[in-house]
């Protein structure tokens, strides 16, 4: 093991031992569920390990951990909104008398949602936010631009970026 690897390992161990309990407590108060708090704390430190280059320049570890954990909570909320939108659409079809979707249709829809989720996780936070706000929340491009602090043209580029990645993964028909 190289000296850099040892130094990184020590930095992660120190960060974990000094801040895991605090982060778990903060998440438990914020989320109201000890199991979900434990999951998010675990995922937060997983991200810390994935972003090991950023670890060396952290001056405020609690702020960094809080930001990372908050982003994970937001990502999960977005995935839950996708699930809820799918279930709502299923409910509408049932009420319209169209019957239940076939197992194949359900599988295709779930696979598309998983692929869309993977695409959204792979793009920049602003591109993800633009896509979710415009296509899922139904906000106008101008509104999204104002919320993100970018031009409407940039929002269009973000939307195109996500749509191109979706097309590459064959998420959209």
């Amino acid at each position: 093991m190289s000296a850099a690897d040892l130094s990184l390992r020590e930095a992660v161990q120190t960060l974990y031992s000094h801040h895991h309990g605090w982060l778990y407590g903060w998440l438990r108060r914020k989320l109201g569920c000890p199991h979900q708090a434990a999951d998010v704390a675990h995922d937060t430190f997983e991200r810390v390990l994935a972003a090991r280059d950023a670890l060396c320049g952290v001056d405020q570890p609690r702020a960094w951990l809080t930001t990372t954990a908050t982003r994970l909570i937001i990502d999960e909320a977005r995935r839950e909104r996708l699930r809820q939108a799918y279930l709502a659409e299923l409910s509408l079809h049932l009420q319209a008398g169209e019957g239940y979707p076939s197992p194949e249709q359900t599988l295709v829809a779930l696979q598309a949602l998983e692929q869309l989720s993977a695409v959204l996780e792979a793009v920049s936070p602003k591109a993800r936010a633009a896509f979710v706000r415009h296509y899922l929340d139904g906000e106008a491009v101008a509104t999204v631009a104002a919320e993100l602090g970018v031009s409407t043209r940039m929002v269009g580029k973000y939307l195109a970026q996500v749509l191109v990645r979706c097309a590459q993964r064959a998420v959209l028909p």
Side-chain angles (χ1 to χ4, degrees), residues 35 54 58 61 81 84-85 90 92-93 103-104 110 115 146 160 169-170:
H35 303 294
V58 174
R81 279 201 320 237
Q84 293 303 321
L90 280 178
L92 286 174
H93 286 292
E104 293 82 13
L110 289 174
Q115 290 174 341
R169 290 187 65 133

Side-chain angles (χ1 to χ4, degrees), residues 74-75 78 81 119-121 123-141 143-145 147-150 154-155 158-159 161-162:
I74 290 168
D75 289 346
R78 286 184 181 130
R81 279 201 320 237
V119 166
L120 290 175
E121 288 179 19
V123 297
S124 70
K126 284 192 176 185
R128 180 182 322 121
F131 184 86
V132 169
R133 289 179 177 166
H134 180 67
Y135 287 112
L136 299 181
D137 297 340
E139 293 183 13
V141 170
T143 305
V144 174
E147 290 174 358
L148 295 178
V150 298
M154 193 68 220
V155 170
Y158 289 147
L159 295 175
Q161 176 189 9
V162 175

Side-chain angles (χ1 to χ4, degrees), residues 1 12 15 18 23-24 28 33 45 65 76 86 97 116 118 120 142 148 155 157:
M1 191 176 271
V12 171
L15 183 70
H18 289 168
L23 179 65
Y24 172 73
R28 197 175 69 218
C33 174
F45 280 97
L65 291 170
E76 178 57 33
Y86 175 72
L116 178 58
L120 290 175
L148 295 178
V155 170
K157 288 180 180 182

Side-chain angles (χ1 to χ4, degrees), residues 86 100-110:
Y86 175 72
Y100 293 98
S102 70
E104 293 82 13
Q105 290 171 319
T106 303
L107 178 63
V108 168
L110 289 174

Side-chain angles (χ1 to χ4, degrees), residues 2-120:
S2 71
D5 288 340
L6 282 174
S7 174
L8 176 64
R9 184 176 180 178
E10 289 173 5
V12 171
Q13 285 176 336
T14 300
L15 183 70
Y16 185 86
S17 64
H18 289 168
H19 301 289
H20 179 268
W22 169 84
L23 179 65
Y24 172 73
W26 180 80
L27 287 166
R28 197 175 69 218
R29 286 187 302 279
K30 184 171 182 71
L31 299 173
C33 174
H35 303 294
Q36 190 177 10
D39 287 345
V40 174
H42 170 80
D43 292 345
T44 300
F45 280 97
E46 232 177 32
R47 285 239 176 128
V48 166
L49 289 172
R52 49 197 237 179
D53 294 337
L55 182 60
C56 298
V58 174
D59 294 330
Q60 302 285 328
R62 288 189 176 184
W64 188 48
L65 291 170
T66 303
T67 301
T68 302
T70 301
R71 288 179 180 161
L72 287 166
I73 293 168
I74 290 168
D75 289 346
E76 178 57 33
R78 286 184 181 130
R79 282 191 290 278
E80 183 59 29
R81 279 201 320 237
L82 279 172
R83 282 187 223 110
Q84 293 303 321
Y86 175 72
L87 292 174
E89 189 65 29
L90 280 178
S91 176
L92 286 174
H93 286 292
L94 292 175
Q95 291 173 0
E98 295 178 20
Y100 293 98
S102 70
E104 293 82 13
Q105 290 171 319
T106 303
L107 178 63
V108 168
L110 289 174
Q111 288 173 337
L113 286 173
E114 287 176 4
Q115 290 174 341
L116 178 58
S117 179
V119 166
L120 290 175

